Amino acid sequence: MSKQYFGAIELGGTKTNVMVADADNHQLAKKVFPTLSPDETIADICNFFKSTISSEGIKLESIGIGSFGPVDLHPESKTFGYITSTPKPGWQFVNIKGNIESALNIQTRIDTDVNAAALGEYSCKSMNTIKNMVYITIGTGIGAGIIINGNLVHGLVHPEFGHIHLPHDKRIDPFPGICPYHRDCFEGLASGPALTERWRMPADEIPQDHVAWDLEGEYIAYAVSDLICTVSPEKIILGGGVMHRYYLYDIIRTKTVSIINRYIRSKYLEESIGDYITAPRLKSDSGLIGALCLAVHADKPE
Amino acid sequence: MSKQYFGAIELGGTKTNVMVADADNHQLAKKVFPTLSPDETIADICNFFKSTISSEGIKLESIGIGSFGPVDLHPESKTFGYITSTPKPGWQFVNIKGNIESALNIQTRIDTDVNAAALGEYSCKSMNTIKNMVYITIGTGIGAGIIINGNLVHGLVHPEFGHIHLPHDKRIDPFPGICPYHRDCFEGLASGPALTERWRMPADEIPQDHVAWDLEGEYIAYAVSDLICTVSPEKIILGGGVMHRYYLYDIIRTKTVSIINRYIRSKYLEESIGDYITAPRLKSDSGLIGALCLAVHADKPE
């Protein structure tokens, strides 16, 4: 049997990563380009796969897509595989799965970008004994991929964890929030663009000693604590652009332990918090490797 | 083969329900008594089962226990089957599972009271097509049993949903909250005792036209919205003493739809909200029938 190759797409709010690899992540080709209009970006994606197929003389078994959301993941729905009510201009109700399938004539499996990233991280060997895991991304948007008993959580739709509501003391932080749907939900208060707007400077130019980071760590710690009280994860991975500020991890760990206040007793919280709330093992590759996992399991029931 | 009988215990913060029934919930004996000290209550429980076994001339296969929490549910832990850091006086670190097993010399299976109630509701025929379901109890305490892909969520510990933090605008509601661990967490703001203390009258004497209920509905709606954004349930059941105020359901439905603000698009939220956020089918029997489900599956791995 000749070697099997798979395609992987990580469609992000600002950039898109694509890759061709075998099931063990031996990579044949990889590319990144900015996410523009749906037409331009779908064309960029399809051109990458067509040219790789032709230059390498291979065929692809399937393609996995991790996309920014919300994505309609109900196979019986008329808009299955569409990006739906996203705030991203031009991308509302784009049939991302269908367009790629018909342009390339290939089976695909789609999930949200954060679900893909959670799958990627969960495929690491160190996760062997873990049943419940959460991957939270904090960047242009905020979202979470949640794995319970070894499987991704879907359901009514899929988690939209960036849109939970947290304590927001307007006397301390009068910033009203920037979410067009909810104003001061988690994403509205703590995403990269929220940092930029609150502090009137680009988020990546805010200095390390600025009060911004203590407040940012507090919102993230409240969200992490809410997750611990809701799905009881054995591992919490924090990724995304905002978390490139590595000192946030310790702020979040300390505040989470303080918020939980020893009500939930666990060695994870008491002894090994540094390993419990942690950075992605795969660094910025979690989503793309997760999309590869989706491709490898493209024939599993949705 | 002679008929098989099982024991069920619902150990609540204020009262304890016990039952002997077959796997189809044909009941042989049932009793309720106040939850007193651990010694007294464990004696009451054991006396009920001993006298039923002797008067009916039967034997029990196993007993299911749904207990107020937190409960240590890790079989490998030294305190497996103990109630741990509960605020209930006298009940910290009581070995409820071990004490009942050794007194009655019988296999038991333990879970939290809300997990048992969630199991009970999930055993109803109407749940056939539902994979993700949440049961929230709002009474003396607040908690949630969460079923994902047909299974209860356990993990680090188990959900302690009453202790999530919600938006709390102290300018509108200056009440500081009553949770001894977290002050103004969900339970600290919205449990029965919180209502009693905030409004300086017993919760069950607060009149229907009092502003209390709009605020109460708002906190519950924020919690429900957070759950929808986190685990994407296809059914949300609200039970417990506070929910005996039936008009709360409509307040919560309206506010939840308003908080989500059409960001998550689903017919459940748009057309059938009355069936989506709903009262327990089994009324006050959810927990006891769920404990029976635990007993019937007592030999499943924890």
Side-chain angles (χ1 to χ4, degrees):
Chain A
M1 198 176 90
S2 72
K3 195 151 189 175
Q4 290 191 316
Y5 289 101
F6 302 89
I9 303 167
E10 184 189 22
L11 181 63
T14 48
K15 62 187 178 20
T16 296
N17 288 283
V18 286
M19 176 174 78
V20 170
D22 69 11
D24 296 320
N25 192 28
H26 296 118
Q27 302 174 3
L28 215 57
K30 202 172 170 181
K31 198 169 176 182
V32 54
F33 36 79
T35 304
L36 306 170
S37 72
D39 284 353
E40 292 166 294
T41 300
I42 291 170
D44 285 342
I45 291 170
C46 293
N47 289 338
F48 165 78
F49 286 116
K50 280 177 185 163
S51 74
T52 306
I53 289 169
S54 125
S55 67
E56 301 283 341
I58 56 161
K59 76 178 197 65
L60 294 183
E61 304 298 320
S62 56
I63 294 177
I65 308 167
S67 171
F68 68 87
V71 180
D72 183 340
L73 298 176
H74 284 112
E76 72 281 6
S77 161
K78 273 185 283 190
T79 52
F80 174 49
Y82 284 54
I83 293 170
T84 60
S85 54
T86 176
K88 189 172 167 65
W91 281 84
Q92 290 89 0
F93 290 93
V94 167
N95 181 4
I96 183 74
K97 177 178 163 73
N99 274 309
I100 288 170
E101 283 187 352
S102 58
L104 296 173
N105 191 28
I106 192 167
Q107 184 184 25
T108 69
R109 185 181 175 113
I110 190 167
D111 213 315
T112 59
D113 45 5
V114 280
N115 276 352
L119 270 190
E121 287 294 319
Y122 195 65
S123 73
C124 295
K125 281 215 179 72
S126 58
M127 296 289 172
N128 266 346
T129 61
I130 287 179
K131 294 193 304 177
N132 296 2
M133 189 208 88
V134 176
Y135 176 97
I136 309 178
T137 179
I138 301 151
T140 310
I142 294 182
I146 302 178
I147 289 175
I148 303 284
N149 291 322
N151 292 302
L152 278 171
V153 173
H154 297 105
L156 186 65
V157 282
H158 49 70
E160 276 295 344
F161 187 67
H163 299 273
I164 67 165
H165 283 82
L166 302 172
H168 175 202
D169 191 333
K170 290 169 189 159
R171 296 169 306 186
I172 292 165
D173 175 26
F175 183 63
I178 60 158
C179 174
Y181 287 87
H182 312 115
R183 305 291 289 169
D184 66 345
C185 62
F186 183 21
E187 181 170 299
L189 289 174
S191 63
L195 283 168
T196 298
E197 192 154 323
R198 181 192 283 107
W199 303 110
R200 298 176 189 282
M201 65 182 107
D204 54 10
E205 290 176 15
I206 301 174
Q208 177 171 351
D209 60 0
H210 196 285
V211 292
W213 302 115
D214 191 75
L215 186 67
E216 178 73 4
E218 180 138 320
Y219 288 128
I220 299 171
Y222 269 117
V224 164
S225 304
D226 281 2
L227 259 180
I228 294 172
C229 291
T230 308
V231 295
S232 217
E234 296 153 286
K235 179 79 87 179
I236 296 169
I237 295 171
L238 301 174
V242 170
M243 293 308 300
H244 291 166
R245 303 291 187 132
Y246 63 92
Y247 44 87
L248 269 177
Y249 288 95
D250 268 341
I251 298 175
I252 294 163
R253 287 170 187 138
T254 304
K255 286 181 184 283
T256 300
V257 168
S258 154
I259 292 167
I260 297 286
N261 195 23
R262 291 173 66 79
Y263 180 70
I264 291 174
R265 305 298 289 269
S266 164
K267 67 178 190 311
Y268 292 94
L269 287 165
E270 285 154 27
E271 295 155 29
S272 50
I273 186 82
D275 195 45
Y276 179 56
I277 297 174
T278 183
R281 285 234 166 197
L282 302 171
K283 301 206 167 67
S284 58
D285 281 343
S286 320
L288 199 54
I289 292 174
L292 181 65
C293 298
L294 286 170
V296 172
H297 299 289
D299 50 356
K300 260 181 64 176
E302 306 280 344
Chain B
M1 198 176 89
S2 71
K3 196 151 189 175
Q4 291 191 316
Y5 289 100
F6 301 89
I9 303 167
E10 184 190 22
L11 180 63
T14 49
K15 62 187 176 27
T16 296
N17 287 283
V18 287
M19 176 173 77
V20 170
D22 69 11
D24 298 319
N25 192 28
H26 296 117
Q27 301 175 4
L28 215 56
K30 200 172 170 182
K31 199 169 175 182
V32 55
F33 35 80
T35 305
L36 306 170
S37 73
D39 285 351
E40 292 167 293
T41 300
I42 291 170
D44 284 342
I45 290 170
C46 293
N47 289 339
F48 164 79
F49 286 117
K50 281 177 184 162
S51 74
T52 305
I53 288 170
S54 126
S55 67
E56 300 284 341
I58 56 163
K59 76 178 196 65
L60 294 183
E61 304 298 321
S62 55
I63 294 178
I65 308 167
S67 171
F68 68 88
V71 180
D72 183 339
L73 299 176
H74 284 112
E76 72 280 6
S77 162
K78 273 186 283 188
T79 52
F80 173 50
Y82 284 54
I83 293 170
T84 60
S85 54
T86 176
K88 189 172 168 65
W91 281 84
Q92 290 88 359
F93 290 93
V94 166
N95 181 4
I96 184 73
K97 177 177 164 72
N99 273 309
I100 289 171
E101 283 187 351
S102 57
L104 296 172
N105 191 26
I106 193 168
Q107 184 184 25
T108 69
R109 186 181 174 113
I110 190 167
D111 213 316
T112 59
D113 47 3
V114 280
N115 276 352
L119 270 190
E121 288 293 320
Y122 194 65
S123 72
C124 294
K125 281 215 179 72
S126 58
M127 296 289 172
N128 266 345
T129 62
I130 287 179
K131 294 193 303 178
N132 296 2
M133 189 208 88
V134 177
Y135 177 96
I136 310 178
T137 179
I138 300 152
T140 310
I142 295 182
I146 302 179
I147 289 174
I148 302 285
N149 291 323
N151 292 303
L152 278 171
V153 174
H154 297 105
L156 186 65
V157 280
H158 49 70
E160 276 296 344
F161 187 67
H163 298 273
I164 66 164
H165 283 81
L166 302 171
H168 174 202
D169 191 333
K170 290 170 190 159
R171 296 169 306 185
I172 292 166
D173 176 25
F175 183 64
I178 60 158
C179 174
Y181 288 87
H182 312 114
R183 305 291 287 168
D184 66 345
C185 63
F186 183 21
E187 181 169 298
L189 288 175
S191 62
L195 283 168
T196 298
E197 192 153 324
R198 181 193 283 106
W199 303 111
R200 295 174 190 283
M201 64 181 108
D204 54 10
E205 289 176 16
I206 300 173
Q208 178 171 351
D209 60 0
H210 195 286
V211 292
W213 302 115
D214 191 74
L215 186 67
E216 179 73 4
E218 180 138 320
Y219 288 129
I220 300 171
Y222 269 117
V224 164
S225 304
D226 281 2
L227 259 180
I228 294 172
C229 291
T230 308
V231 295
S232 217
E234 296 152 286
K235 180 78 87 178
I236 295 169
I237 296 171
L238 301 174
V242 170
M243 293 307 301
H244 290 166
R245 303 290 186 133
Y246 64 92
Y247 43 86
L248 269 177
Y249 288 95
D250 269 340
I251 298 175
I252 294 163
R253 288 170 187 136
T254 305
K255 286 182 184 283
T256 300
V257 168
S258 155
I259 291 167
I260 298 285
N261 195 23
R262 291 172 67 78
Y263 179 70
I264 292 173
R265 306 296 290 269
S266 163
K267 67 177 191 309
Y268 292 94
L269 287 165
E270 284 154 28
E271 294 156 29
S272 50
I273 185 82
D275 195 46
Y276 179 57
I277 297 174
T278 184
R281 286 233 166 199
L282 302 172
K283 302 207 166 65
S284 58
D285 282 343
S286 319
L288 199 55
I289 292 174
L292 181 65
C293 298
L294 286 170
V296 173
H297 298 288
D299 50 355
K300 262 181 61 177
E302 306 280 343

